[in-house]
Amino acid sequence: SLSQKSRADVTNEQLARMRTIALGEALPDFSFENLEGVRQPLSKLVTYPTLLAIIDLNCASCIAEVAALSNAASASSCLNVVLLSSSNPLALKRLQDSLRFPFTVIFDEERAYQSTLKITSTPFNLLVGDGLIVRQVWAGSLTLTECEKLVACD
C-alpha cells in the first residue's frame, strides 16, 4: 500500500542520512541501566529476535505503539521487546507497570545511544538478532497489524 511504501521510503532516507545502521550489520553494544538500576550490555538483553523500540514519552505515537505491542504480545511470543528511552525513569516505570505484558525498559542516559546512532525521531524500531545484527528497521510508529505480525511466531 501507499502508506507502507512511503514509510519504507522515509526509513531508507533516514538510514542513508544517518549512515550508522545497516541491515545485516551489528549495532554497537552499549551498557544500559534498566529501571531497577541494574547495568547490562545490550547484547545480554538480545536473547532471541528482539524489537528494540526507541521511544520518547512525549511522543503520542510512541505511547500508542508500546500499547499495541503490549496488547499483541504474550508469554509465548517469539519476540523479545526492549524499550529504550531517555525519558524520565519514573515516568518510564509507570509506563512499564501499566503494560498488559511487561517489556524490558532501558534508560539511554543523555541520549548517548540515540546520538551515537544519529536517531533524531521516535519511534524508531530495530529488529535485532544474535550478535546485535540488524534484520529490519522501521522509522515511525508500527501499526497494530505490524505489531501482531511481529509477535506471531512466523
Side-chain angles (χ1 to χ4, degrees):
S1 78
L2 184 60
S3 64
Q4 286 179 325
K5 183 177 184 248
S6 67
R7 194 205 9 219
D9 290 344
V10 168
T11 299
N12 289 332
E13 286 167 15
Q14 279 195 19
L15 290 174
R17 191 171 51 250
M18 293 160 51
R19 297 199 323 257
T20 54
I21 297 171
L23 295 180
E25 292 190 13
L27 291 174
D29 193 13
F30 277 39
S31 283
F32 297 99
E33 275 190 17
N34 65 16
L35 297 180
E36 289 73 43
V38 176
R39 185 168 283 280
Q40 279 190 306
L42 185 58
S43 57
K44 291 271 189 261
L45 299 169
V46 177
T47 51
Y48 50 99
T50 297
L51 180 70
L52 179 61
I54 300 168
I55 62 164
D56 183 329
L57 293 185
N58 295 320
C59 155
S61 58
C62 293
I63 304 301
E65 174 180 301
V66 170
L69 280 166
S70 179
N71 288 333
S74 69
S76 64
S77 173
C78 294
L79 182 74
N80 180 28
V81 177
V82 175
L83 306 177
L84 177 121
S85 182
S86 57
S87 296
N88 177 300
L90 292 174
L92 288 169
K93 182 71 176 136
R94 280 194 300 276
L95 172 70
Q96 185 181 43
D97 292 345
S98 75
L99 299 175
R100 187 180 74 82
F101 190 78
F103 299 134
T104 299
V105 179
I106 52 178
F107 184 58
D108 186 13
E109 196 167 3
E110 297 174 0
R111 294 178 49 86
Y113 201 65
Q114 292 170 72
S115 296
T116 298
L117 295 177
K118 299 182 179 159
I119 294 170
T120 57
S121 64
T122 53
F124 195 88
N125 299 284
L126 299 146
L127 184 62
V128 183
D130 288 342
L132 297 179
I133 301 297
V134 177
R135 294 182 178 180
Q136 200 165 350
V137 180
W138 300 266
S141 193
L142 296 170
T143 65
L144 180 58
T145 304
E146 288 170 323
C147 291
E148 287 170 346
K149 225 172 163 177
L150 270 170
V151 302
C153 297
D154 325 345

